Structures are given as C-alpha cells and as structure tokens.
Amino acid sequence: MLIGCPKEIKNQEYRVGITPAAAREAIAHGHSVLMEAGAGAGSGFPDADYAAFGAEIVGSAEELFERAEMVVKVKEPQPVERARLREGQLLFTYLHLAPDPEQTRDLLKSGVTAIAYETVTDSTGGLPLLAPMSEVAGKLAPQVGAWTLQKANGGRGVLLGGVPGVGPAKVVVLGGGVVGTHAARVAAGMGADVVVLDLSMHRMRYLDDVFGDVFETRYASRGNSEELVAEADMVIGAVLIPGAAAPKLVSRAQLSTMKRGAAIVDVAIDQGGCFETSHATTHDDPIYEVDGIMHYCVANMPGAVARTSTIALGNATMPLLLALADKGWRTACAEDPHLLAGLNVHAGNLTYAAVGEALGIAVMDPATALKA
C-alpha cells in the first residue's frame, strides 16, 4: 500500500502522524511511505530520518494526497485537506465528528473511508488510540490552568500550591477517567487541594484505593457539582462519551456562583466542550473571559509538547496502521471488531451511531459497510 503522511496545518500543530520508527516498520512490511517535506520537523524528526529508512519525501501536500492510498494524520483534516480527499481513499486520524457538522458533510461528500482514532476500542473497553493523548492533555491541564490563574492573564492571582501561611488553590476535576486521573495527580503534585467528581462508584473506589491520600473523590450529583464548582479556583473538564458530543456539565448561570478570575480548562473541547460557555481556541490565543471566568479551551493541547505526544501516539497507532496496510481496511476491520469501531465514514455513509445521533444524520451499520 502507498501510505502518505502530510504536514499538519492546524494552528500550532507540531505533531506528525507517522514517526520514523513507524515508517521503517511499514517499509519492512513491503509498503511505500510518502512524507510531505518538513512533516516531522515540529516533533524533532527531520526528513533525513525518514529517508534513511526508504521513505519518499514529496514537496507538496497536493502531490501526497493525490498519490496516497491511505492518508495518516494526527488532527482532523482541515477544509483545504478535505477538498483533496477522494473516493476509495483511506483516512486514518482523529476526527471528532460529533461537534463538527461541516467536516462530517465534507467527508461524506468526498467518498473517503475514514477510521477515527478516538473511537477505536480494545478488549478492556478502553480507547487505546485516545488514551495516550488523554494522558498528555490531563497532565498539561493543571499547568495551563496555573498559567491562566496568573493575574497578568486575567486570573485570580492564585498559586496552585500556596505557600506557608497561605492555603493552596482548590481544583475540581469533572470526570475520573484517563484525563481526569492524570490531571488530578499533577494538580495534587503541584500542591493543590483536589477533588475529582465522577458518576461511577466502581471508578471512584478504584481512585480512592490508589490515590486516596493524594486527592479526594466525590459523587457527581448536581448538588455536589454546584457546591464544588462555586468553591473552586480551577475547574478541569475531563468528561468523554466516546464519539459523541460532550455533555454540558456547567451552565453559564453557574459562572455567576464562581470566584472572579477562576480558571476553566476544558479538555473535552475536541468533542464540543463540557461547559456551556466553551468554544475552541488556539495556542496563539488560548484564553478568553466570560462573566469574569477565564476559559482555556485549546482544541489540540497535546500539540504543545509535540515530540512526547507524537512518539506516544505513534506507539499506539503503529500496529493498527500496519494491519490496515497489510490486509486492507475491509479485512482488517472484519477480523478486528475493535478496529471496526473506529469506522466513522465510508463511501458517503456515516457509520458511527453517536455521531449520527449528535448531528441528526442517518447511520449505516459498520458491518453493512464492510459488505457494501
């Protein structure tokens, strides 16, 4: 198979979809790899690293999209990239379609077959291609939240860990999954007073057993949520429903109960955000204020630590990339129901139920798409 990896063009997105290690493995399996010139530079991988293993360096995205049978990326294709996709081509990347009707419409129109990293599952019920970036984003959230809390950035001027004689900041984490757990650990490590809210008693028991002396857990009832959000210096949104739009857990009305200059970090912004007042921002202009509350809602947070993120993502995607290339997407998905769960679009049809529900679009069963 001819596999192509373009340079990411989203604002300050420095990750790359294929590492030199993945390119080497794909070529060893008998495939050809096209890399757009400079695609890996932001992650510290010069073109020479790819060429050394036999990858072909192409000068433009246009050529790469035109020639590649499978396009491997990190972020969702931007409008100019979507216009280059074609019928029968395979796209393997993060998509986050539920809050993005424009992208969904363009992918359906293109006729492409698109497998989304964020909905691929595993035998434990996890999301193995989302987990590495969730870990990165979770660990970043308290850092960027602490920066947002600085007075020069519009925040309350509160130091997360406090100092002798001055108490630490109060941090509330909405969701005790991968993002929430890593966010809570880092925030607590920075000295903050941390509470994690979750609806799953099983998950809270696990967190309490493992981290009971590090941070507190509370059941995410409406009353607990309202009380703790009102007391917080920082609220981190870490809730995910696989493939679906994130639930809105904090309303605009609740902002009036919060401390002026408190910080919101919405890690769920890729799926539309879990605060009513959230909208996606960029690394260039990451924060904005609503009713005195500072919002940090960057949609590609892991791009800020591109080398770590690229290597972590590459480790997770490589086995599935090779399966798709070795067997073709139909056979690979037929043999692996967890990979089939990643199928979101095929030949003008939406194939992921949660996206269809969010956008009001009819959905083709993915098993039917395999036979189409």
Side-chain angles (χ1 to χ4, degrees), residues 136-172:
V136 171
K139 289 186 174 183
L140 276 175
Q143 296 182 38
V144 298
W147 178 79
T148 303
L149 277 174
Q150 293 178 25
K151 192 65 178 177
N153 298 320
R156 282 174 50 74
V158 173
L159 182 66
L160 232 57
V163 293
V166 182
K170 295 182 180 297
V171 176
V172 174

Coordinates of all heavy atoms in Angstrom, one line a residue, residues 136-172:
V136 N -1.5 12.9 28.1 CA -0.8 14.2 27.8 C -1.7 15.4 28.2 O -1.2 16.3 29.0 CB -0.3 14.3 26.4 CG1 0.3 15.7 26.1 CG2 0.7 13.2 26.1
A137 N -2.9 15.4 27.7 CA -3.8 16.6 27.9 C -4.1 16.7 29.4 O -4.1 17.8 30.0 CB -5.0 16.4 27.1
G138 N -4.3 15.5 30.1 CA -4.6 15.6 31.5 C -3.4 16.1 32.3 O -3.6 17.0 33.2
K139 N -2.2 15.7 31.9 CA -1.0 16.3 32.7 C -0.8 17.7 32.4 O -0.3 18.5 33.2 CB 0.2 15.4 32.3 CG 0.2 14.0 33.0 CD 1.4 13.3 32.7 CE 1.4 11.9 33.5 NZ 2.6 11.2 33.4
L140 N -1.2 18.2 31.2 CA -1.0 19.6 30.8 C -2.0 20.5 31.4 O -1.7 21.7 31.7 CB -1.1 19.7 29.3 CG 0.1 19.5 28.4 CD1 -0.2 19.6 26.9 CD2 1.2 20.5 28.7
A141 N -3.2 19.9 31.7 CA -4.3 20.8 32.1 C -4.0 21.6 33.4 O -4.3 22.8 33.4 CB -5.6 19.9 32.3
P142 N -3.4 21.0 34.5 CA -3.1 21.9 35.6 C -2.0 22.9 35.3 O -2.0 24.0 35.9 CB -2.6 20.9 36.7 CG -3.2 19.6 36.2 CD -3.2 19.6 34.7
Q143 N -1.1 22.6 34.4 CA 0.0 23.5 34.1 C -0.6 24.8 33.4 O -0.3 25.9 33.7 CB 1.0 22.9 33.1 CG 1.8 21.7 33.7 CD 2.8 21.2 32.8 OE1 3.4 21.9 32.0 NE2 3.0 19.9 32.8
V144 N -1.5 24.5 32.3 CA -2.1 25.6 31.6 C -3.1 26.4 32.5 O -3.2 27.6 32.4 CB -2.7 25.2 30.3 CG1 -1.6 24.6 29.4 CG2 -3.8 24.2 30.5
G145 N -3.7 25.6 33.4 CA -4.7 26.3 34.3 C -3.9 27.2 35.3 O -4.4 28.2 35.6
A146 N -2.8 26.7 35.8 CA -2.0 27.5 36.7 C -1.5 28.8 36.0 O -1.5 29.9 36.6 CB -0.8 26.7 37.2
W147 N -1.2 28.7 34.7 CA -0.8 29.9 33.9 C -2.0 30.8 33.8 O -1.9 32.1 33.9 CB -0.3 29.4 32.6 CG 0.1 30.5 31.7 CD1 1.3 31.3 31.7 CD2 -0.6 31.0 30.5 NE1 1.3 32.2 30.6 CE2 0.1 32.1 29.9 CE3 -1.9 30.7 30.0 CZ2 -0.4 32.8 28.8 CZ3 -2.4 31.4 28.9 CH2 -1.6 32.4 28.3
T148 N -3.2 30.2 33.5 CA -4.4 31.0 33.3 C -4.7 31.8 34.6 O -5.3 32.9 34.6 CB -5.5 30.1 32.9 OG1 -5.2 29.5 31.7 CG2 -6.8 30.9 32.6
L149 N -4.4 31.2 35.8 CA -4.8 31.8 37.0 C -3.9 33.0 37.4 O -4.2 33.8 38.3 CB -4.6 30.8 38.2 CG -5.9 29.9 38.4 CD1 -5.5 28.8 39.4 CD2 -7.1 30.7 38.8
Q150 N -2.8 33.2 36.6 CA -1.9 34.3 36.9 C -2.6 35.6 36.6 O -3.4 35.7 35.7 CB -0.6 34.2 36.1 CG 0.3 33.0 36.5 CD 1.5 32.9 35.6 OE1 2.0 33.9 35.1 NE2 2.1 31.8 35.5
K151 N -2.4 36.6 37.5 CA -3.1 37.9 37.4 C -2.9 38.5 36.0 O -3.9 39.1 35.5 CB -2.7 38.8 38.5 CG -3.6 40.0 38.7 CD -5.0 39.6 39.1 CE -5.9 40.8 39.3 NZ -7.3 40.4 39.7
A152 N -1.7 38.4 35.5 CA -1.4 39.1 34.2 C -2.3 38.5 33.1 O -2.4 39.1 32.0 CB 0.1 38.9 33.9
N153 N -2.8 37.3 33.3 CA -3.6 36.6 32.3 C -5.1 36.7 32.5 O -5.9 36.1 31.9 CB -3.2 35.1 32.2 CG -1.7 34.9 31.7 OD1 -1.3 35.7 30.9 ND2 -1.0 34.0 32.4
G154 N -5.4 37.5 33.5 CA -6.8 37.7 33.9 C -7.3 36.9 35.0 O -8.5 37.0 35.4
G155 N -6.5 36.0 35.5 CA -6.9 35.1 36.6 C -6.9 35.7 38.0 O -6.6 36.9 38.2
R156 N -7.2 34.9 39.0 CA -7.3 35.4 40.4 C -6.0 35.7 41.0 O -6.0 36.3 42.1 CB -8.0 34.3 41.2 CG -9.5 34.1 41.0 CD -10.0 32.9 41.8 NE -9.7 32.8 43.2 CZ -10.1 33.6 44.1 NH1 -11.0 34.6 43.9 NH2 -9.7 33.4 45.4
G157 N -4.9 35.3 40.4 CA -3.6 35.6 41.0 C -3.3 34.6 42.1 O -2.7 35.0 43.2
V158 N -3.7 33.4 41.9 CA -3.6 32.3 43.0 C -2.5 31.3 42.6 O -2.5 30.8 41.4 CB -4.9 31.6 43.2 CG1 -4.7 30.4 44.1 CG2 -6.0 32.6 43.7
L159 N -1.6 31.0 43.5 CA -0.6 30.0 43.2 C -1.2 28.6 43.6 O -1.7 28.5 44.7 CB 0.7 30.3 44.1 CG 1.8 29.3 43.9 CD1 2.4 29.4 42.5 CD2 2.9 29.6 45.0
L160 N -1.1 27.7 42.7 CA -1.7 26.4 42.9 C -1.3 25.8 44.3 O -2.2 25.3 45.0 CB -1.4 25.4 41.8 CG -2.6 24.8 41.1 CD1 -3.5 25.8 40.5 CD2 -2.1 23.9 40.0
G161 N -0.1 25.8 44.6 CA 0.4 25.1 45.8 C 0.4 25.9 47.1 O 0.7 25.4 48.2
G162 N 0.1 27.2 46.9 CA 0.1 28.1 48.1 C 1.6 28.3 48.6 O 2.5 27.8 48.0
V163 N 1.7 28.9 49.7 CA 3.0 29.0 50.4 C 2.7 28.9 51.9 O 1.5 29.0 52.3 CB 3.7 30.3 50.1 CG1 4.1 30.4 48.7 CG2 2.8 31.5 50.5
P164 N 3.7 28.7 52.8 CA 3.4 28.7 54.2 C 2.6 29.9 54.7 O 2.9 31.0 54.4 CB 4.8 28.7 54.8 CG 5.7 28.0 53.8 CD 5.1 28.5 52.5
G165 N 1.5 29.6 55.3 CA 0.6 30.6 55.8 C -0.5 31.0 54.8 O -1.4 31.8 55.2
V166 N -0.4 30.5 53.6 CA -1.4 30.8 52.5 C -1.8 29.5 51.9 O -1.0 28.7 51.4 CB -0.9 31.7 51.4 CG1 -2.0 32.0 50.4 CG2 -0.3 33.0 52.0
G167 N -3.1 29.2 52.0 CA -3.6 27.9 51.6 C -3.5 27.7 50.1 O -3.3 28.6 49.3
P168 N -3.5 26.4 49.6 CA -3.4 26.1 48.2 C -4.7 26.4 47.5 O -5.8 26.6 48.1 CB -3.1 24.6 48.2 CG -3.9 24.1 49.4 CD -3.7 25.2 50.5
A169 N -4.6 26.4 46.1 CA -5.8 26.6 45.3 C -6.7 25.3 45.4 O -6.2 24.2 45.6 CB -5.4 26.8 43.9
K170 N -8.0 25.5 45.2 CA -8.9 24.4 45.1 C -9.2 24.1 43.7 O -9.6 24.9 42.9 CB -10.2 24.8 45.8 CG -10.1 25.0 47.3 CD -11.4 25.4 47.9 CE -11.3 25.6 49.5 NZ -10.8 24.4 50.2
V171 N -8.9 22.8 43.3 CA -9.1 22.4 41.9 C -10.2 21.3 41.9 O -10.1 20.3 42.7 CB -7.8 21.8 41.4 CG1 -8.0 21.2 40.0 CG2 -6.7 22.9 41.3
V172 N -11.1 21.4 41.0 CA -12.2 20.4 40.8 C -12.0 19.8 39.4 O -11.9 20.6 38.4 CB -13.6 21.1 41.0 CG1 -14.7 20.1 40.6 CG2 -13.8 21.6 42.4

